[in-house]
Amino acid sequence: MSTNQYGRRTWDVDEYAQRKRVKEARGGFVSSVHQETGTLFGSDQSWFVCEPCRRRFKDTQALAVHCSSRQHLENVPREEEPAITLANVVAFVKSIKE
């Protein structure tokens, strides 16, 4: 990366093209967020997707923010908790005493 006459950064297109070729030769980049919450797709494999919401994100931070959003939590099925009944409480207390 270099700077122009005004001190602003300029992007070396050839350098970034070379970096992309090296990255693709190594098999690309897969983050831990991708492995846990989404899948990667696209011709250049640069999108993260939330399958329950059918939304695509360009970076892992946007995907992480989406995963804690109300929209996502409404679309993801929740595990139902067992009902609290007297029989369940008695069985739980007995299991603790043993």
Side-chain angles (χ1 to χ4, degrees):
M1 195 173 338
S2 60
T3 57
N4 65 8
Q5 64 189 13
Y6 303 109
R8 295 186 180 131
R9 288 187 284 181
T10 58
W11 305 102
D12 186 0
V13 177
D14 296 329
E15 179 185 349
Y16 282 99
Q18 175 63 26
R19 286 185 184 183
K20 183 178 179 183
R21 285 191 292 274
V22 169
K23 182 173 137 182
E24 288 173 352
R26 283 189 276 154
F29 172 76
V30 179
S31 72
S32 61
V33 172
H34 158 257
Q35 293 170 352
E36 294 172 6
T37 60
T39 57
L40 209 60
F41 73 97
S43 61
D44 61 350
Q45 294 192 356
S46 62
W47 292 96
F48 294 91
V49 64
C50 173
E51 292 173 1
C53 300
R54 301 184 62 136
R55 293 196 57 194
R56 297 187 312 176
F57 301 95
K58 193 68 173 172
D59 60 6
T60 56
Q61 183 178 9
L63 178 64
V65 168
H66 165 74
C67 287
S68 63
S69 70
R70 189 183 82 192
Q71 177 190 8
H72 177 77
L73 296 176
E74 289 174 356
N75 288 334
V76 175
R78 290 188 232 168
E79 297 177 13
E80 291 188 24
E81 296 180 12
I84 298 175
T85 62
L86 182 60
N88 289 347
V89 172
V90 170
F92 179 73
V93 171
K94 283 182 181 179
S95 68
I96 292 175
K97 287 182 178 180
E98 295 174 355

